[in-house]
Amino acid sequence: QINLVESGGGSVQSGGSLRLACKASGYLYGGYCMGWFRQTPGAEREWVAAIDNDGEIQYSDSVLGRFTITKDNNKHTLYLQMNNLKPEDTALYFCAAENRLWIPSPHQGAEYSYWGQGIQVTVSS
């Protein structure tokens, strides 16, 4: 059983930066994958980025070149560095985890068993 808690959200002007963190608690055994998703009211959940057990990374086209996903295995923490933020990045951001070695594209969300509570990111123009 894994609990995930996001932090680091807030409000920023267009072009600014934020760094999200997702702290995992509980016993995490074996290989696992983690990812970031985002959702706006009335919209479907959108995949943002993912990192597998070996550190292989995938990004959605909408954030490629602007966002960086990393993890600190020793601290059991996932990060999302968001640079050059745009108003369309405004959303509730979720981190997610799954106890497996890798997850193929596309990342739909159903592949992940554990989810954080979500944290708001607001980008003003």
Side-chain angles (χ1 to χ4, degrees):
Q1 183 64 46
I2 301 172
N3 293 317
L4 305 174
V5 179
E6 301 96 338
S7 62
S11 298
V12 67
Q13 288 185 304
S14 181
S17 298
L18 287 172
R19 188 193 190 203
L20 304 182
C22 174
K23 176 69 175 180
S25 61
Y27 184 68
L28 199 62
Y29 64 93
Y32 65 96
C33 301
M34 300 191 76
W36 288 98
F37 293 79
R38 63 189 183 186
Q39 189 171 23
T40 56
E44 294 293 321
R45 180 174 53 200
E46 177 190 11
W47 171 69
V48 175
I51 183 166
D52 72 12
N53 186 69
D54 294 327
E56 297 290 335
I57 293 170
Q58 294 175 309
Y59 295 103
S60 68
D61 290 340
S62 62
V63 306
L64 184 65
R66 299 187 298 118
F67 290 11
T68 303
I69 185 173
T70 57
K71 63 178 179 179
D72 187 327
N73 290 335
N74 187 256
K75 295 182 178 180
H76 301 291
T77 302
L78 178 74
Y79 301 96
L80 185 68
Q81 178 67 47
M82 304 182 292
N83 296 327
N84 192 24
L85 283 161
K86 304 175 181 179
E88 51 263 43
D89 295 318
T90 296
L92 190 66
Y93 282 71
F94 299 88
C95 68
E98 177 65 22
N99 189 198
R100 59 186 291 179
L101 295 177
W102 66 286
I103 298 175
S105 297
H107 296 260
Q108 301 173 353
E111 307 96 329
Y112 296 86
S113 298
Y114 305 99
W115 293 83
Q117 81 285 358
I119 189 164
Q120 182 67 36
V121 171
T122 301
V123 184
S124 60
S125 60

